[in-house]
Amino acid sequence: MKILIINGPNLDILGERNPQHYGDMSLLDIQNEILSQFPDDQFVFFQSSIEGELVNKINSINGLYDALIINPGAYSHYSVAIHDALENCKVKKVEVHLSNLAKREDFRQNLLTARSCDAYISGFKENAYIIAVFALKKYT
Ligand code: DQA
């Protein structure tokens, strides 16, 4: 499978950011772990903290990838623009969160972008991405 993995704002500073919620692996460590666990699949990684760049990337997916894994970071809770781009994106889509959002602040309970995805995974720290790849390979 060819899978695009998009990470949003502040996910480039994983490893130095609240390890209790987000674990202690850097984004590069996570990407290397995915590559080593799924050597027969193709991955493209994209990270941006800029909402418009994330929207542009999502809008370029159709026809190029088999599936999308996205962690929109804080945008998950309020970005109508990312919600709408995901809605138009025709591939199978899984939203992932490192932290367990159900146990966190009220403002993180609104899962706006996840409404445009096929599923979401939350609370397994870096393993959320691995679980998402497994699920996509099984169900796509
Ligand atoms: C996050 C959860 C968001 O609420 C937060 O703003 C993030 C990371 C997660 O992976 O748990 O940046 O998406």
Side-chain angles (χ1 to χ4, degrees):
M1 279 183 84
K2 188 169 181 191
I3 302 176
L4 175 64
I5 301 187
I6 296 180
N7 279 286
N10 299 315
L11 294 165
D12 52 331
I13 54 168
L14 284 179
E16 34 179 292
R17 187 185 172 202
N18 200 334
Q20 184 200 335
H21 285 303
Y22 304 125
D24 47 24
M25 282 174 86
S26 69
L27 191 55
L28 190 62
D29 291 337
I30 294 174
Q31 290 172 357
N32 285 334
E33 185 63 26
I34 294 167
L35 292 172
S36 76
Q37 292 217 24
F38 301 98
D40 298 330
D41 296 289
Q42 268 181 281
F43 296 94
V44 173
F45 301 102
F46 179 81
Q47 189 278 330
S48 174
S49 296
I50 300 169
E51 186 178 22
E53 287 187 1
L54 297 169
V55 169
N56 287 345
K57 193 69 184 175
I58 294 164
N59 285 338
S60 75
I61 293 174
N62 287 334
L64 294 183
Y65 298 92
D66 302 309
L68 168 68
I69 294 170
I70 183 164
N71 183 346
Y75 290 136
S76 312
H77 311 300
Y78 65 90
S79 174
V80 176
I82 293 176
H83 168 279
D84 289 353
L86 286 169
E87 201 172 50
N88 186 56
C89 171
K90 303 292 181 286
V91 302
K92 199 89 168 170
K93 293 153 279 186
V94 179
E95 181 165 309
V96 298
H97 294 282
L98 298 119
S99 62
N100 182 352
L101 292 173
K103 284 189 168 178
R104 301 192 63 193
E105 304 95 324
D106 285 350
F107 67 85
R108 294 185 208 274
Q109 302 309 315
N110 185 34
L111 289 169
L112 181 55
T113 55
R115 292 188 203 185
S116 298
C117 292
D118 297 291
Y120 80 95
I121 294 164
S122 176
F124 290 102
K125 296 201 169 86
E126 64 276 358
N127 291 309
Y129 296 87
I130 304 291
I131 294 165
V133 177
F134 256 115
L136 283 165
K137 285 167 69 69
K138 217 167 162 56
Y139 294 109
T140 301

